[in-house]
Amino acid sequence: MNANIKNRIKKLALIIYDFDGVMTNNKLFVDQNGNEIVQVNRSDGLGVSQIKKLNINQIIISTEKNPVVAARAKKLGIKCFQAVSNKKKIIIEYCRRHSVPLDFVAFIGNDINDIDGMNIVGLKFCPSDAHCSIKKISDHIMHSKGGDGVIREMLDIINKYYGR
């Protein structure tokens, strides 16, 4: 990582996560009643809790509307926005409301519906299995695939540059 990215990590105030493909492996199970089930990684839960201790706010912004997203966000104790067709607009409104400069925001996304939101923030990250268009705009491509500890890896990156 270059020095500019390292310095921006030190100033992080907010991390935005896409849900499907970041907190999950982008796959789901559907039962005979149409109920959807996804798999999440417990190490990501640990990552979220440890990042909170650094006073870095975290939110989920998902294009999908799914009770699983709300349940996971509730368990993690972070805010989530669902059924979002314009992530850029939500990010701008959220940051304005909470007085967070966009340069102090990181977005971890994995697919083309994240591009507009990622393009307005200070730092862009993606899982190793993200779409090529997301990899192209990302400041850093994680070693982890979606659902395999992306947030836990983000914690390691933050700790490395926070000097902890």
Side-chain angles (χ1 to χ4, degrees):
M1 257 184 242
N2 69 40
N4 186 31
I5 294 170
K6 292 174 189 176
N7 288 332
R8 285 187 278 158
I9 288 171
K10 291 178 183 179
K11 296 178 182 179
L12 274 181
L14 172 67
I15 302 172
I16 300 166
Y17 307 112
D18 180 35
F19 188 75
D20 294 315
V22 172
M23 292 187 161
T24 75
N25 64 1
N26 217 17
K27 297 177 183 177
L28 59 95
F29 296 96
V30 181
D31 71 13
Q32 67 274 14
N33 298 315
N35 297 312
E36 295 182 1
I37 300 168
V38 298
Q39 180 177 320
V40 295
N41 191 307
R42 286 197 185 270
S43 68
D44 282 341
L46 176 67
V48 168
S49 68
Q50 293 299 305
I51 291 169
K52 279 184 188 178
K53 292 178 183 178
L54 299 172
N55 293 317
I56 299 171
N57 195 13
Q58 302 162 87
I59 62 174
I60 298 168
I61 302 178
S62 180
T63 303
E64 295 289 321
K65 180 160 178 60
N66 190 327
V68 168
V69 180
R72 184 64 176 156
K74 183 177 180 181
K75 180 166 183 151
L76 296 172
I78 63 177
K79 182 144 182 72
C80 78
F81 299 88
Q82 294 189 71
V84 175
S85 60
N86 186 337
K87 292 184 181 187
K88 177 180 174 179
K89 181 179 176 184
I90 292 289
I91 293 167
I92 290 169
E93 289 173 8
Y94 183 91
C95 289
R96 187 176 300 131
R97 231 179 302 125
H98 296 278
S99 301
V100 176
L102 290 171
D103 284 348
F104 296 0
V105 176
F107 190 123
I108 305 177
N110 74 302
D111 215 331
I112 60 172
N113 59 332
D114 297 321
I115 291 174
D116 289 342
M118 290 177 79
N119 277 331
I120 63 166
V121 301
L123 287 166
K124 302 164 223 19
F125 293 85
C126 70
S128 63
D129 59 346
H131 188 268
C132 61
S133 63
I134 296 298
K135 288 179 177 180
K136 189 181 290 186
I137 66 167
S138 291
D139 295 305
H140 181 76
I141 300 169
M142 304 291 203
H143 297 287
S144 305
K145 292 181 178 181
D148 282 343
V150 170
I151 298 169
R152 180 63 184 83
E153 185 176 338
M154 184 70 187
L155 171 65
D156 289 341
I157 291 168
I158 292 168
N159 282 337
K160 182 175 181 179
Y161 298 111
Y162 265 79
R164 299 176 192 258

